[in-house]
Amino acid sequence: MSEYLHTLKTSLDKKEKEIAGEKSLLQSMVGKIESHLREQTRICVAAQNKLISDETRFRVLQVSWEADKAEAEKKLEEEREKLQVSNSQALSTQREQLEQLHRERKGIAKEKARLAAAAQKSYSEK
Protein backbone atom coordinates (compact mmCIF):
# COMPACT_ATOMS: atom_id res chain seq x y z
CA MET A 1 0.00 0.00 0.00
CA SER A 2 2.83 2.32 0.69
CA GLU A 3 3.96 1.96 -2.87
CA TYR A 4 0.47 2.84 -4.03
CA LEU A 5 0.48 5.96 -1.84
CA HIS A 6 3.92 6.89 -3.11
CA THR A 7 2.74 6.55 -6.74
CA LEU A 8 -0.38 8.46 -5.95
CA LYS A 9 1.65 11.20 -4.22
CA THR A 10 4.02 11.39 -7.19
CA SER A 11 1.09 11.59 -9.55
CA LEU A 12 -0.54 14.28 -7.43
CA ASP A 13 2.73 16.26 -7.23
CA LYS A 14 3.04 16.06 -11.00
CA LYS A 15 -0.57 17.23 -11.45
CA GLU A 16 0.03 20.01 -8.91
CA LYS A 17 3.04 21.24 -10.90
CA GLU A 18 1.03 21.10 -14.14
CA ILE A 19 -1.83 23.00 -12.53
CA ALA A 20 0.61 25.55 -11.08
CA GLY A 21 2.15 26.02 -14.55
CA GLU A 22 -1.26 26.41 -16.15
CA LYS A 23 -2.28 28.80 -13.36
CA SER A 24 0.84 30.87 -13.97
CA LEU A 25 0.18 30.87 -17.72
CA LEU A 26 -3.46 31.89 -17.18
CA GLN A 27 -2.44 34.66 -14.77
CA SER A 28 0.04 35.92 -17.35
CA MET A 29 -2.67 35.86 -20.04
CA VAL A 30 -5.15 37.65 -17.72
CA GLY A 31 -2.49 40.28 -17.00
CA LYS A 32 -1.89 40.84 -20.72
CA ILE A 33 -5.64 41.03 -21.39
CA GLU A 34 -6.12 43.51 -18.54
CA SER A 35 -3.23 45.59 -19.85
CA HIS A 36 -4.72 45.51 -23.36
CA LEU A 37 -8.15 46.49 -21.99
CA ARG A 38 -6.64 49.41 -20.05
CA GLU A 39 -4.91 50.61 -23.24
CA GLN A 40 -8.11 50.25 -25.28
CA THR A 41 -10.05 52.11 -22.57
CA ARG A 42 -7.44 54.89 -22.63
CA ILE A 43 -7.71 55.09 -26.44
CA CYS A 44 -11.54 55.17 -26.27
CA VAL A 45 -11.54 57.89 -23.61
CA ALA A 46 -9.08 59.96 -25.67
CA ALA A 47 -11.24 59.51 -28.79
CA GLN A 48 -14.37 60.42 -26.82
CA ASN A 49 -12.68 63.55 -25.43
CA LYS A 50 -11.56 64.56 -28.93
CA LEU A 51 -15.08 63.97 -30.24
CA ILE A 52 -16.55 66.13 -27.47
CA SER A 53 -13.96 68.83 -28.18
CA ASP A 54 -14.66 68.70 -31.93
CA GLU A 55 -18.40 68.82 -31.31
CA THR A 56 -18.00 71.85 -29.04
CA ARG A 57 -15.77 73.58 -31.60
CA PHE A 58 -18.31 72.77 -34.33
CA ARG A 59 -21.17 74.23 -32.28
CA VAL A 60 -19.18 77.40 -31.60
CA LEU A 61 -18.39 77.73 -35.31
CA GLN A 62 -22.03 77.07 -36.19
CA VAL A 63 -23.26 79.77 -33.79
CA SER A 64 -20.66 82.19 -35.17
CA TRP A 65 -21.60 81.34 -38.76
CA GLU A 66 -25.30 81.82 -38.02
CA ALA A 67 -24.57 85.20 -36.40
CA ASP A 68 -22.46 86.25 -39.40
CA LYS A 69 -25.19 85.07 -41.77
CA ALA A 70 -27.87 87.00 -39.88
CA GLU A 71 -25.68 90.13 -39.92
CA ALA A 72 -24.99 89.75 -43.64
CA GLU A 73 -28.69 89.27 -44.37
CA LYS A 74 -29.52 92.37 -42.30
CA LYS A 75 -26.91 94.43 -44.17
CA LEU A 76 -28.16 93.10 -47.50
CA GLU A 77 -31.74 94.06 -46.58
CA GLU A 78 -30.56 97.54 -45.53
CA GLU A 79 -28.71 97.91 -48.84
CA ARG A 80 -31.81 96.78 -50.75
CA GLU A 81 -33.90 99.35 -48.89
CA LYS A 82 -31.34 102.10 -49.59
CA LEU A 83 -31.22 101.07 -53.24
CA GLN A 84 -35.00 101.08 -53.45
CA VAL A 85 -35.18 104.55 -51.86
CA SER A 86 -32.41 105.79 -54.16
CA ASN A 87 -34.14 104.30 -57.20
CA SER A 88 -37.43 105.84 -56.15
CA GLN A 89 -35.76 109.23 -55.65
CA ALA A 90 -34.03 108.97 -59.03
CA LEU A 91 -37.32 108.15 -60.74
CA SER A 92 -39.03 111.02 -58.96
CA THR A 93 -36.24 113.42 -59.96
CA GLN A 94 -36.38 112.16 -63.54
CA ARG A 95 -40.18 112.61 -63.63
CA GLU A 96 -39.84 116.17 -62.25
CA GLN A 97 -37.14 116.98 -64.82
CA LEU A 98 -39.30 115.61 -67.65
CA GLU A 99 -42.26 117.64 -66.42
CA GLN A 100 -40.04 120.75 -66.22
CA LEU A 101 -38.70 120.05 -69.71
CA HIS A 102 -42.25 119.62 -71.01
CA ARG A 103 -43.31 122.94 -69.39
CA GLU A 104 -40.25 124.69 -70.87
CA ARG A 105 -40.93 123.25 -74.35
CA LYS A 106 -44.54 124.28 -74.08
CA GLY A 107 -43.45 127.78 -73.02
CA ILE A 108 -40.92 127.95 -75.88
CA ALA A 109 -43.58 126.80 -78.34
CA LYS A 110 -45.98 129.49 -77.06
CA GLU A 111 -43.22 132.10 -77.26
CA LYS A 112 -42.30 130.92 -80.76
CA ALA A 113 -45.94 131.12 -81.82
CA ARG A 114 -46.26 134.58 -80.28
CA LEU A 115 -43.08 135.74 -82.02
CA ALA A 116 -44.23 134.23 -85.31
CA ALA A 117 -47.60 135.96 -84.96
CA ALA A 118 -45.86 139.22 -84.08
CA ALA A 119 -43.53 138.85 -87.04
CA GLN A 120 -46.49 138.09 -89.33
CA LYS A 121 -48.35 141.08 -87.97
CA SER A 122 -45.28 143.26 -88.41
CA TYR A 123 -44.77 141.95 -91.94
CA SER A 124 -48.39 142.47 -92.90
CA GLU A 125 -48.30 146.04 -91.56
CA LYS A 126 -45.38 146.90 -93.78
Side-chain angles (χ1 to χ4, degrees), residues 46-63:
Q48 183 180 22
N49 289 340
K50 184 178 181 331
L51 184 61
I52 290 169
S53 173
D54 289 349
E55 183 179 11
T56 301
R57 187 171 45 87
F58 171 76
R59 288 177 193 245
V60 167
L61 288 172
Q62 185 178 17
V63 167

Side-chain angles (χ1 to χ4, degrees), residues 2-126:
S2 136
E3 176 127 351
Y4 173 73
L5 288 176
H6 179 65
T7 305
L8 193 54
K9 184 177 184 311
T10 306
S11 177
L12 285 175
D13 287 344
K14 185 177 175 185
K15 283 286 185 194
E16 191 176 316
K17 283 183 183 179
E18 285 177 9
I19 290 173
E22 288 177 4
K23 180 181 175 183
S24 176
L25 181 63
L26 288 173
Q27 286 175 338
S28 172
M29 289 173 68
V30 166
K32 287 179 183 178
I33 290 171
E34 286 175 343
S35 174
H36 180 71
L37 285 174
R38 280 191 299 274
E39 178 63 18
Q40 291 302 311
T41 300
R42 184 192 66 75
I43 290 170
C44 285
V45 167
Q48 183 180 22
N49 289 340
K50 184 178 181 331
L51 184 61
I52 290 169
S53 173
D54 289 349
E55 183 179 11
T56 301
R57 187 171 45 87
F58 171 76
R59 288 177 193 245
V60 167
L61 288 172
Q62 185 178 17
V63 167
S64 175
W65 178 81
E66 287 172 356
D68 289 349
K69 179 183 173 195
E71 185 178 332
E73 287 174 346
K74 180 182 174 187
K75 284 182 181 180
L76 184 60
E77 187 59 32
E78 289 171 356
E79 287 298 318
R80 280 184 187 143
E81 288 174 6
K82 285 179 186 177
L83 200 57
Q84 192 173 26
V85 166
S86 178
N87 190 28
S88 180
Q89 288 174 344
L91 288 173
S92 178
T93 301
Q94 185 180 20
R95 188 173 35 257
E96 289 171 7
Q97 288 174 345
L98 287 173
E99 288 171 0
Q100 178 66 27
L101 183 61
H102 180 67
R103 284 191 300 272
E104 289 176 5
R105 283 183 178 170
K106 199 174 184 180
I108 290 172
K110 281 183 183 180
E111 183 65 23
K112 190 176 178 183
R114 187 187 66 76
L115 287 174
Q120 182 71 29
K121 185 178 177 184
S122 171
Y123 181 72
S124 39
E125 286 178 358
K126 287 184 180 188

